[in-house]
């Protein structure tokens, strides 16, 4: 059909005349190697680990004043010194932006969690709003899903080295050290973003090379950015979120 | 149904009991940014650049004794101090293996070359037999193809920074510095392979991170390997091939 | 004079025929920039953080069976679930060796500590027996000493990024991620050792390049090694020492 | 004298209360391992390698208009398509500055060169005006000097991997790939400068970590800088100097 051909033709032109979009490999899910389960010691006192004196706290236990919602004011539920996703109210974005940083953040799934695979407690922490450290209920590898989509993965890029998750109803903590990318003049990476992650005190990402943003196939030229907490339609709670810019 | 459940169950076991196959991102072709054309100076004297005193020469100008063919004895044509692909006779593999190395290699397309896109003078140099530095006739960007598939690309991973190719009938030279990967116990990369490439004396890959092997989606755990020259059914000639192991 | 010439000649021969000793820059003390004081939150429950399920514990709270002394059997004092230096009995060396690893280790100075500068609670943790992460009583920067010699320094190489120390009488904890060096054929570094350190949960070394061993000016060609705890004639206690080989 | 003492005292106070001066290890000379001598092939045609189409040429063969002298107008002697040091007229500094770059530069010592050690044909190329790639007449290791002070060394930091020098009276060529440092907020290196060097086509520095500037013990916080050619009171000639900013 003529119309169809023309459309395809136009798309081709668009594709081949593009100039500014350095691209990244396609991210895919895979199923091995399966991270070993590790049982961490009880690493945090009750109440978790609040901010040290030089950190910026992104949650004071009582309001979401450091955040905006992707659909307007943030509507997640603040209660008991934590806040919890409210389905379909959208992602939260931190008002502040950072370059290189150390991030501490704690998260918990409800003890009576249901769902399977990527619909079991799915959320995520997007560094610079771009690079997702996965949040999912995958305690003890019981919830079968692709290994680079389980908790602690740099989503679809790097599985966690091991799986030191706590069970639903208990708090998990991430300590994340993020090195921002640098860029060449043509928009490609001069140096890729890098990330080191400890989950419950156990190293799960070791200065890993991030190939690119989680939700786009083009390189995004940003040297500073905020945090985004994902509403994936699942229940998960957060507390003790603080950032030390490096 | 019982049968179905059993099948699913078996598949699960297969999927989740696999352990040895760390995987890499899917490589894809893309079309921007388009490398700028650069006209290099005449960098080599007639006859090209033979091996320095501490290099291993992989071609003495007269025979293919340093190579095996992927289908048996190497059948590429030696003539005039060079050797030229003979279609369908298969790839050439160096008998020797290397870890980190500096490689010099010169290649030329015939002046009367025909073909388009990936069928115009396609060949490639596979470092450690795994990671392809593309050989293609893309002088002056005249031959339209995806940018990470043109000459100087780490095939489908990184476009060349610029395009300093000479026209068909003239020799091109690669100077390649390769750093072998190191591996974690689970077979994932501890450090990715890295490569720096000069094409006709112009930097086209700057210590680029190689995401994985060109022809497989799993990480190949090799710290030493040979060179492979690809028979892609196109005519291309090589000469002055030498390696300095680092 | 003839004799003199001959001597010089011999010295020349000795100097220039040496082959095995790649050397490193001289390490020196310096006094700025002074790390900012940070007050960490209470990060550990009473008793500290014991080993996770996949770690090798190097101290079970009751004996020093995982250690040898530099002068024979280890003579440091085990008491109250910790062990404490006994002056002049020498360093402790772990029996086990590791390549890349995550190390957790807790240390405390006595509340009634005395001494100044490098004689105030000096000890150190030598990674691979070579690269010292400094232990010193420098709470609140009260104890004046060179900044790359205070607690958290890679001794005489890199000051800690900040100073999050607890006061004498309270436990400090190190979480250390060490990447072993790799070597060129001539004994020089192919890649330097690297280390990331958190002190009381605060990042103080960020994938820092280690220039070389602390106590020698030549590169030591080791890819695996043990831990060494230094007897520097000062009182300091250790507990909860565990290693996860990576 | 009283006044003098007071002055010194004040200087001390200033030195030790300074906060902005991150420091680097002391650089020293050493004598092993001795780089192997390599005889390179004849890599350049007569006249050397002029600039490719996208490079900035810093010498057109006829004048020094791209340079300033450290003592005023540049007084080095232009002749025969090259320029030659004129003793005691000072260093040359390029007018232009660069960030990351590829530099090509050719240099030659007179066939009748005299002098020994560091006084035999000494000059140097200071990248960003700070980091010296040594120029010295050390053909065949005949001129005895410390190994990290011979031609191709990152002065007092890294010896060349091998010694592929040509004899006095013949041109040498450097191809240098420089990655500028990045900095932490406190003025320390976030990432050190890095350099790869080919001398006469042979790899002599492989993405080497530069510890700091050659002539100062403090980190200099510069992300762009020019080139400096050193007048060390010795005779040496330069030609074909071009830079491609990356």
């Amino acid at each position: 059909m003529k119309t169809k051909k023309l459309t395809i033709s136009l798309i081709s032109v668009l594709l081949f005349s593009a100039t500014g979009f350095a691209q990244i490999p396609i991210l895919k899910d895979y199923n091995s190697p399966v991270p070993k389960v590790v049982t961490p010691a009880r690493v945090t006192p009750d109440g978790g680990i609040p901010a040290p004196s030089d950190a910026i706290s992104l949650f004071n236990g009582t309001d979401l004043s450091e955040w905006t919602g992707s659909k307007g004011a943030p509507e997640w539920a603040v209660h008991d010194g934590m806040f919890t996703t409210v389905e379909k109210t959208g992602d939260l974005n931190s008002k502040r932006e950072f370059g290189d940083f150390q991030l501490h953040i704690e998260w918990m799934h409800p003890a009576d969690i249901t769902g399977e695979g990527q619909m079991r407690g799915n959320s995520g922490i997007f560094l610079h709003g771009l690079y997702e450290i996965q949040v999912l209920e995958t305690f003890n590898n019981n919830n079968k899903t692709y290994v680079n989509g389980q908790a602690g993965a740099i989503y679809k890029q790097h599985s966690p080295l091991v799986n030191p998750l706590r069970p639903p109803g208990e708090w998990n903590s991430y300590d994340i050290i993020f090195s921002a990318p640098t860029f060449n003049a043509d928009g490609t990476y001069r140096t890729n973003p890098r990330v080191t992650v400890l989950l419950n005190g156990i190293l799960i990402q070791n200065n890993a090379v991030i190939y690119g943003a989680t939700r786009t196939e083009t390189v995004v030229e940003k040297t500073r950015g905020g945090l985004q907490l994902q509403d994936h339609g699942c229940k998960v709670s957060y507390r003790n979120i603080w950032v030390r810019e490096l």
Side-chain angles (χ1 to χ4, degrees), chain A:
Chain A
M1 255 207 17
K2 259 213 150 153
T3 320
K4 199 175 166 188
K5 264 194 180 160
L6 186 64
T7 313
I8 290 169
S9 209
L10 273 168
I11 288 171
S12 296
V13 166
L14 286 169
L15 282 175
F16 288 94
S17 63
T19 57
F21 301 111
Q23 286 182 287
I24 62 170
I26 294 178
L27 306 175
K28 58 163 287 193
D29 51 306
Y30 48 85
N31 295 294
S32 69
V34 178
K36 279 190 304 183
V37 171
V38 172
T39 306
R42 187 81 212 297
V43 296
T44 55
D46 286 342
I49 299 177
S53 63
D54 70 337
I56 290 170
S57 172
L58 295 182
F59 180 58
N60 58 8
T62 58
D63 66 56
L64 295 172
S65 57
E66 286 285 347
W67 302 84
T68 58
S70 59
K71 299 175 177 179
E75 299 183 58
W76 295 20
V78 178
H79 61 103
D80 307 310
M82 65 184 89
F83 60 90
T84 299
T85 46
V86 174
E87 257 182 69
K88 308 279 160 92
T89 61
D91 305 326
L92 294 196
N93 298 293
S94 72
K95 292 178 179 171
R96 296 180 200 257
E97 300 202 326
F98 310 95
D100 296 349
F101 59 82
Q102 175 183 4
L103 163 68
H104 178 89
I105 186 165
E106 299 170 20
W107 49 279
M108 179 175 61
H109 289 108
D112 61 353
I113 188 172
T114 56
E116 285 182 26
Q118 291 290 313
M119 282 311 292
R120 186 174 175 87
N122 196 330
S123 180
I125 301 153
F126 285 75
L127 312 178
H128 277 200
L130 296 171
Y131 315 106
E132 184 182 18
I133 307 299
Q134 173 74 319
V135 169
L136 196 73
E137 202 299 282
T138 53
F139 170 69
N140 200 35
N141 289 344
N142 292 335
N143 177 24
K144 295 307 175 203
T145 191
Y146 40 99
V147 293
N148 59 347
Q150 69 178 91
I154 304 167
Y155 188 68
K156 288 203 178 172
Q157 300 194 35
H158 297 287
S159 310
L161 296 170
V162 294
N163 178 355
L165 221 62
R166 295 184 180 290
E170 297 189 17
W171 286 96
N172 291 288
S173 74
Y174 276 141
D175 287 286
I176 295 174
I177 302 158
F178 180 72
S179 296
T182 57
F183 298 93
N184 294 316
D186 68 356
T188 56
Y189 286 127
R190 176 182 180 268
T191 52
N192 287 57
R194 293 265 188 171
V195 72
T196 291
V197 184
L198 293 102
L199 171 51
N200 299 323
I202 306 298
L203 183 74
I204 60 166
Q205 300 288 351
N206 188 3
N207 196 34
V209 178
I210 298 178
Y211 299 130
T214 307
R215 288 184 291 211
T216 167
E217 286 178 23
T218 55
V219 174
V220 181
E221 208 169 334
K222 262 172 69 170
T223 56
R224 297 177 64 79
L227 297 179
Q228 183 176 78
L229 302 179
Q230 187 183 32
D231 169 18
H232 196 285
C234 298
K235 193 144 282 192
V236 60
S237 303
Y238 290 97
R239 69 174 187 186
N240 288 323
I241 307 175
W242 45 266
V243 178
R244 300 179 58 252
E245 191 155 7
L246 300 176

